Amino acid sequence: MTITFRVDDGHNILSPSPAIITPDQLGALRDLLGRHVVRSGVALLVPIHGDPASGTFEIEVRVCPLALASIARCFDWDPAVITVVDEAQFLGRRARIWQAEPGGDIKLRLGLNPDAAPELEVANGNAYAILASLGLDEESCGAVPISELRERLMDPRIRRRLDDDPHMTRYVEALITMAALKPVDGEYHLAWA
C-alpha cells in the first residue's frame, strides 16, 4: 500500500467535460512537449500509470508553460480541448489524459494538481515516517496548509530530523518544492491519502 502526497488548491470546481482525443492528436502533443523539453530543459509530461502503447494509461501534462494556440493546433482546434486547456491554464493546473481500456476513448480533462507541483507516492511505512518527522498526526489521509508545511520545514529541529534520517532525505527536495509553490488564488494545502 502507498500514500500519495500532493498539493491541493482546495477548489472543488465544476470542471469542463472531458474532451475525446485521437491517438494521432496525442502523438502531436507529445511531439510538441518533446520539442519544448529540448529547448527549455523542463519536463512537461508526468506519468501516472501505464504507457500509451499498452492501451491503458494515465498521464498529466503541464500546459501552463505553453501557448494555448500551439496546444490547440495539436488537436485540430477542437473547442472541447481548448475549453479544458484554457481552464487548466487559468487555474494554474495540469491537464490529465487517460485511456481506461485498450481500444477505448482517450480523454483529456482538467487535472487536480497545480502545474509545477511534484507528487510523492510513498510506501505506507515511509509516509508515516514523513508525517512523524514533520510533527503531523500519522493518519492515512489528511491535509495541512502549505504555509504550515513551510514553517515546519524551516524549523531547525524538524529539518535536522529529516536530514539525519537517510530514508527521509530523498523526500525533502519534493517537500521543499511543494512548500515553495504560490497559488493563483486562495491557499494550497499538502494533502495525502
Side-chain angles (χ1 to χ4, degrees), residues 3 5 126-139 192:
I3 293 177
F5 292 87
N126 287 343
Y128 293 132
I130 289 171
L131 293 169
S133 294
L134 290 171
L136 298 170
D137 291 334
E138 296 175 43
E139 300 291 330
W192 62 93

Side-chain angles (χ1 to χ4, degrees), residues 11 16 86 110:
H11 295 292
D86 184 53
L110 183 65

Side-chain angles (χ1 to χ4, degrees), residues 54-82:
S54 71
T56 60
F57 69 93
E58 191 166 2
I59 58 175
E60 284 194 337
V61 178
R62 293 189 59 201
V63 296
C64 292
L66 301 171
L68 177 59
S70 67
I71 297 170
R73 182 175 46 213
C74 297
F75 299 98
D76 303 317
W77 312 100
D78 181 344
V81 170
I82 293 171

Side-chain angles (χ1 to χ4, degrees), residues 114-127:
D115 182 64
E119 212 174 75
L120 282 174
E121 187 170 345
V122 182
N124 281 5
N126 287 343

